[in-house]
Structure formats: C-alpha cells, structure tokens
Amino acid sequence: MKKFIPLIAVVILFSTAGYGHYANKMDKDVVQGYYRQMLPQTDHFDPIDDRTAKAIGADGNLIAYLGVCSNVGYGGPMMVGTILEPTGAIKGVMILQHKETLSYINKITQAGYFRQYIKKRADDPLVLNYDLDRISGATLSSRAIAKSVQDVAHTVSVKEMKVTPKKAGIPWNIGLKEIAVALLFILSVFIPRFKQLTKYRMVFLALSIIILGFWLNRSLSMGHVSAMFLGYFPSPSENPIWYIVLAGALGPALFTGKNLYCTYVCPFCGLQEATHMISKVNIPIGKYLKWLWLVRETLLFLVLFWAFLFVNPSFSSYEPFGTIFGLNGSSYQWYLLFVILLTSFFFRRFWCTAFCPVGTFLDKVAFLGRKIRGIIGLSSAKKARKADVKIAKS
Amino acid sequence: MQKAKTEAKREEDQVRKKKENISAIMLFILYGLTSLLIVLVLLENWKAR
C-alpha cells in the first residue's frame, strides 16, 4: 500500500488541477460583471470580441470602449481592465482581480504606475521599457499589466478605429543578467564532477547569493513550479531568466538524478550555510529527521493542492526568498525569515530539512530521474538503488 | 575502580541525555514557531485572495 501513496497523491493533484481549471473558467456573465464594475453607469455593452466591448449609454451613444485581459506577473495572473475614450485615448486602467504576490501590487499602486497610461493612445506600442516605464522591483507585474492593456487597446485600434498599431520591435532580451544566471547553472553541473572544485562550494553559493539572490531576486520558488503545472508561461523573449532558472534546476535533476540546485545554486541555502558557519554549532536532528521529512513531503502536496484548486501559483507560497532578496514582505514574512535564520544558527540548513517545498519537489524529480535512468539502462537498477541510499544518508 | 568507571559512565550518559533533551526542546520550540509563522503567512495570502 505504501508504494502506491505517491501515485495516489499525483492522481489527486492532477484531478484537482482539472477541477480548478473547470471551476475558474471565465464565462460571459463574469466578463459582463467586470464591464459593469468598470463602467457602472452604462446602459448596455455591445461585444467586439469575447473580452472587449463598446459601452453604450441610455441615449444610444457610445460612451467608451472597454476590455479585460489576464497575464501572469511574478506570482500569478492579474485580471486588468482597460477603458478607452471613443477617440481612442486611454481613459483608465485598473486591476479587477489578481492572484499576484500582494507586496508587488502595493508597490505598483503606491508608485502611481497607472498614471502613465492616461497620455497613451490605442495604436501606441504600449510595451514596457519602450514607451512605458516599469516599476523597479516589480518588473514582472508591471510587464503583465502592460501586456493586458496592449491586448485590449490594440483590439480596439484594429477592429474599431481601423488603425494598425505601431510596433516596438523588441529583440530577445539576452544580456549580462541572463548570461550570469546561465553560467551559474552550467557551473553547478560541472563542479560536482571535479573533486578539486567541490571544496569551493561555499564560494559558489556566495556567488549565487549575490547574483540569483540580491541582484536579480530570481531564485526558484514554488510559484515557478505551480505556474509551470498550471500552464502560466511568461513570454520567453521578455523573461528568459524564468526559463533558465526552471530548466537549470529541473534539467540536471532529471538527467543526472541529483538535486544539484539545492546543493550548489540555491541562494537561500547559501545564506543558511553562512549563518551556520558563523555559529559553528551543529545540533543533530537525529531520530526526528524522518518525521520532518514526512511533514516536508506533506507540505509539498498541500502547496500544490491549494495552488491547483484555486488555479493560483502564488496563493500557497510561503517561502521567504522574496522577503530577503527583494527586501519586500509583510511583517509575518519578516518574522518568519528572522526565525529561520536564527534556527539555522543551531540546526544546519533547517529550512531545507524541515520546510522547503522546492527542495522536496527537486528531490522527487531527481528520484524520478534515477528511476528513468535505471529503466532505460543508462545506469543499472542496482546502481540507481545505491545512489538512492547514498543520497538518503547524506 | 570498577565502581568509579560505572559512575563516570552513568554521569556521561546523564549529560548526553540532558543534551539530547535540550536539543529536542529547542527543535520543538523553533519548529513550532516557524510552523505558526507559516500558517500566518498563508492566512495573509488567503485574505488577499
């Protein structure tokens, strides 16, 4: 019975994802509800397409064009409403509903991000870093909103104004940041192969704390994993780091059967190791370890279950990565971070051992990788079993 | 001589047990505190839904 538990868990998760998608489907009434929320004084709405419409007043005159569109920010999708004047000028932009990390929404709202849209027209390119300014520290959320506004405005421009929108012509965004992140992941695959290099693991982790942590704040989180399963993929040309991080963590785990991300790349793991090195205290967890692992696996299941049920990748995310590296979080998140770092003074990598759902997920992927290697004959079943035992012991 | 050895071993065992108990209590408190804070963060996420 015990060996069927993972299979049952996977079946439950996929059924939940199916149900979540069905239950959260946007229908006509929901769209009409959004329109009414945006322009309550309108008599009726004449649809242009399934998410864009003309707002008609009681006298039969056109009041405005309006539309809704959803795009994924950092943690989840945001439903953005856009209102345009009959002349084609943007009149207002608002977030109608969101599943984004709350602190990014607050940042955008407080910085007055929406004001810059008022000067724009329906046929403008409406592209971030081209004719729109991003909010520093909330780039992904700013970009998601810009894409939603662009979608509605360009639909109105083409279908109602009969004007082709201007193009921004943004090339693939590969720069120093993308190269640095890719190098980190490539090196993490090669370092374990050379014994002389493994002693520099802490130096490598320090590099990761700087690059993936404080500089970019793009460490792998459950938001990434849930978004991947829910099909929320950002644009690869605009957000290549998202793909580099996901592929860099999952690829080696699947192909080598080892969770290299947690050992060599995770910046939060590096921080915990650093605090542990300062204290030099290492209290063994001993006989409680298997219970902590059991809870950790249950936590992974619950995090995915909630994310799938509410079709929201960030909803069940509780990791403090964004708090420390983005210096952005609620009071509870700061308390949590403080307690974790304090605990890692006494228990080595306490968060990784007891709570981290990302590490648990990567361990599972690595396990799957070892099984596949065993099945297709890249390594014998005996060797794969030996590797399992060795990893469990370490 | 034998008695002294047994006594020393007993004392050693007592110290080890005491250390283990302190570790378990510390683990229990810190684990509980972290779990509580995670629940509060999740509740906050739920409210902002």
Side-chain angles (χ1 to χ4, degrees):
Chain A
M1 180 64 196
K2 228 178 176 180
K3 66 178 177 185
F4 291 114
I5 290 175
L7 190 70
I8 294 167
V10 170
V11 170
I12 291 174
L13 285 177
F14 277 99
S15 313
T16 312
Y19 170 77
H21 265 292
Y22 171 75
N24 283 278
K25 219 172 179 182
M26 205 168 71
D27 59 17
K28 264 186 186 173
D29 291 341
V30 176
V31 176
Q32 286 286 325
Y34 285 138
Y35 291 163
R36 189 62 61 192
Q37 192 183 332
M38 288 157 74
L39 287 173
Q41 75 279 20
T42 309
D43 184 64
H44 65 278
F45 300 98
D46 284 348
I48 298 171
D49 65 13
D50 62 335
R51 53 194 170 169
T52 322
K54 286 188 269 190
I56 309 294
D59 54 0
N61 287 333
L62 175 70
I63 299 175
Y65 297 107
L66 77 172
V68 292
C69 185
S70 175
N71 272 291
V72 185
Y74 179 84
M78 286 182 281
M79 181 60 75
V80 176
T82 306
I83 306 170
L84 297 109
E85 302 271 10
T87 55
I90 293 177
K91 192 178 173 186
V93 174
M94 61 194 81
I95 297 171
L96 299 164
Q97 195 186 25
H98 73 86
K99 291 167 180 178
E100 173 64 302
T101 311
L102 190 62
S103 51
Y104 294 115
I105 296 287
N106 292 340
K107 210 168 194 175
I108 277 181
T109 315
Q110 282 160 12
Y113 171 76
F114 297 107
R115 280 200 293 267
Q116 61 181 322
Y117 285 97
I118 304 303
K119 303 167 198 161
K120 304 290 174 198
R121 293 194 50 81
D123 60 333
D124 282 339
L126 299 169
V127 172
L128 208 69
N129 295 335
Y130 185 77
D131 60 339
L132 291 172
D133 294 326
R134 70 185 167 92
I135 299 298
S136 180
T139 309
L140 296 183
S141 313
S142 317
R143 183 173 287 144
I145 295 169
K147 270 190 86 72
S148 300
V149 175
Q150 185 201 52
D151 192 78
V152 171
H154 286 186
T155 304
V156 171
S157 178
V158 171
K159 293 193 173 169
E160 294 297 313
M161 313 269 162
K162 312 291 177 203
V163 177
T164 310
K166 294 164 202 153
K167 286 207 170 140
I170 296 240
W172 269 73
N173 193 10
I174 303 286
L176 184 65
K177 292 173 184 174
E178 287 75 18
I179 293 169
V181 175
L183 268 178
L184 264 184
F185 282 103
I186 291 167
L187 284 173
S188 76
V189 176
F190 283 103
I191 284 179
R193 293 177 186 272
F194 300 100
K195 269 196 176 166
Q196 303 97 307
L197 290 177
T198 46
K199 61 183 170 192
Y200 298 112
R201 192 175 71 91
M202 275 314 292
V203 178
F204 194 69
L205 276 175
L207 206 65
S208 179
I209 292 173
I210 295 166
I211 296 172
L212 212 55
F214 289 107
W215 181 27
L216 301 172
N217 182 23
R218 300 295 288 273
S219 54
L220 184 72
S221 72
M222 273 317 280
H224 280 89
V225 177
S226 306
M228 178 185 73
F229 282 120
L230 288 168
Y232 294 146
F233 294 102
S235 159
S237 61
E238 288 175 18
N239 192 4
I241 294 181
W242 194 91
Y243 290 91
I244 298 171
V245 170
L246 205 62
L250 291 181
L254 204 57
F255 293 114
T256 67
K258 288 173 191 162
N259 177 1
L260 299 177
Y261 177 82
C262 289
T263 319
Y264 293 98
V265 189
C266 178
F268 195 69
C269 165
L271 267 187
Q272 287 180 93
E273 294 236 10
T275 51
H276 181 255
M277 275 173 83
I278 295 166
S279 72
K280 290 198 170 73
V281 177
N282 188 16
I283 301 174
I285 293 174
K287 60 183 175 184
Y288 303 105
L289 192 64
K290 65 173 182 181
W291 291 107
L292 294 189
W293 278 0
L294 191 68
V295 174
R296 203 176 70 139
E297 287 184 357
T298 314
L299 277 173
L300 171 68
F301 174 79
L302 290 176
V303 164
L304 287 173
F305 181 81
W306 282 100
F308 291 174
L309 187 64
F310 293 98
V311 200
N312 184 342
S314 70
F315 177 58
S316 53
S317 179
Y318 58 83
E319 301 111 311
F321 309 153
T323 312
I324 178 77
F325 299 122
L327 302 175
N328 196 7
S330 67
S331 51
Y332 290 134
Q333 283 169 322
W334 281 108
Y335 296 144
L336 178 63
L337 178 70
F338 174 75
V339 171
I340 294 162
L341 291 181
L342 177 77
T343 312
S344 63
F345 267 97
F346 307 107
F347 300 96
R348 187 172 169 264
R349 292 171 66 170
F350 181 70
W351 172 261
C352 311
T353 313
F355 293 104
C356 186
V358 177
T360 317
F361 176 73
L362 288 175
D363 284 345
K364 296 283 164 208
V365 174
F367 177 75
L368 188 71
R370 291 196 295 279
K371 287 279 165 217
I372 293 170
R373 282 170 74 84
I375 290 166
I376 62 174
L378 276 174
S379 66
S380 66
K382 201 175 167 186
K383 215 173 165 186
R385 252 199 317 276
K386 258 187 186 173
D388 286 347
V389 172
K390 200 177 162 191
I391 285 163
K393 274 183 184 169
S394 71
Chain B
M1 183 70 177
Q2 187 65 31
K3 207 176 174 186
K5 252 187 184 176
T6 320
E7 193 64 31
K9 203 177 175 225
R10 190 181 296 151
E11 260 180 40
E12 211 175 79
D13 277 353
Q14 270 180 348
V15 170
R16 188 176 49 80
K17 252 191 177 166
K18 208 175 173 183
K19 267 187 185 173
E20 272 180 10
N21 284 343
I22 292 169
S23 305
I25 291 167
M26 264 183 80
L27 181 67
F28 180 75
I29 292 170
L30 290 169
Y31 189 86
L33 194 58
T34 314
S35 306
L36 176 73
L37 285 166
I38 287 174
V39 170
L40 289 172
V41 168
L42 287 172
L43 274 175
E44 217 171 27
N45 285 357
W46 173 267
K47 276 186 199 165
R49 188 167 65 103

